Amino acid sequence: TTECLSSLREDGYEIWATDLSQEAVCLAESDLRMARQNASSAQNAVIPNPIPDRLAIAFGTEAVGCTAELLNEADLRVYLPLRGFADSLNLSVATALVVHHLFVLDPTLVGAMSDEERTRLRKKWYEKLCRQRLLSSSAKRERSRLVARISTAEEYKRKLDAGETLDKNQELKIAKLKEEREKLEKLDQ
């Protein structure tokens, strides 16, 4: 999270986090404009658009929402106005509705991603998604086990490199690390 926030800040993004607390601002034009104006360092600054030119919106998990770090570092906490009896939404539904709501607030939004960035991102994720969809159930379970064993072995290696003493079983897992990585790479091809 820290690295992501730093990278977004370096690239000039304003960061909003979805939140249901009393500190959150409703995703309504007047509320957003007022909140951004209050946050502006320039007194009497005129905020022409309630949505910044470069915006990153963070959504937390369905169970607990955004992390405390993310909420504390966000420029603005926002929530989607809901009517009726619902007080929260499924994460994918909430994300779609928030993005749609932003387009309703400002129909000129198009995103700042270049065609090259978009193509590179799509290629990376399409390949990953396709590989995972093509795996059988047993292959997916094997992949999960490999990822867990690799993670455990890497942690043991960090401890060893830091001078800690390991038992034989832990050393054996480190010895199998290269083999486990090769298996995972083969499965992911």
Side-chain angles (χ1 to χ4, degrees):
T1 302
T2 303
E3 185 180 334
C4 178
L5 290 168
S6 296
S7 178
L8 288 168
R9 294 252 185 253
E10 286 173 16
D11 289 343
Y13 282 88
E14 188 169 315
I15 301 167
W16 293 1
T18 56
D19 185 28
L20 296 176
S21 77
Q22 296 297 314
E23 295 178 45
V25 174
C26 182
L27 274 172
E29 184 173 357
S30 59
D31 294 344
L32 291 172
R33 195 178 303 277
M34 188 180 340
R36 292 192 65 225
Q37 186 139 4
N38 290 342
S40 175
S41 57
Q43 288 189 345
N44 299 324
V46 175
I47 306 295
N49 190 337
I51 302 168
D53 291 336
R54 295 180 66 87
L55 173 64
I57 301 181
F59 296 85
T61 65
E62 289 180 22
V64 294
C66 292
T67 64
E69 177 184 11
L70 187 52
L71 292 172
N72 291 332
E73 293 296 321
D75 298 300
L76 193 62
R77 297 179 185 190
V78 296
Y79 71 91
L80 188 64
L82 297 175
R83 309 289 188 265
F85 297 105
D87 61 357
S88 65
L89 300 168
N90 166 287
L91 183 59
S92 62
V93 172
T95 302
L97 288 174
V98 166
V99 171
H100 173 75
H101 201 72
L102 293 172
F103 281 108
V104 169
L105 289 171
D106 184 358
T108 67
L109 293 175
V110 293
M113 191 178 290
S114 70
D115 287 340
E116 293 93 31
E117 285 178 294
R118 186 175 290 108
T119 301
R120 192 170 51 249
L121 189 63
R122 282 181 175 158
K123 184 177 187 318
K124 174 185 174 183
W125 285 100
Y126 285 167
E127 288 175 0
K128 188 173 186 170
L129 290 171
C130 288
R131 277 194 308 269
Q132 290 176 357
R133 286 195 176 135
L134 295 174
L135 292 176
S136 66
S137 295
S138 61
K140 286 180 183 178
R141 283 192 300 276
E142 176 60 18
R143 186 181 188 287
S144 293
R145 287 190 288 264
L146 282 168
V147 168
R149 288 194 301 257
I150 289 168
S151 177
T152 300
E154 287 172 342
E155 181 60 30
Y156 290 151
K157 180 145 180 31
R158 280 190 288 276
K159 287 181 178 183
L160 184 65
D161 292 344
E164 290 186 38
T165 304
L166 302 179
D167 64 35
K168 296 271 186 209
N169 189 32
Q170 293 168 328
E171 290 175 358
L172 183 59
K173 289 181 181 183
I174 293 172
K176 291 183 177 182
L177 185 57
K178 182 180 177 190
E179 178 186 334
E180 301 283 37
R181 285 182 177 147
E182 288 171 355
K183 286 180 186 177
L184 180 61
E185 187 177 323
K186 184 177 179 183
L187 196 59
D188 282 346
Q189 288 180 348

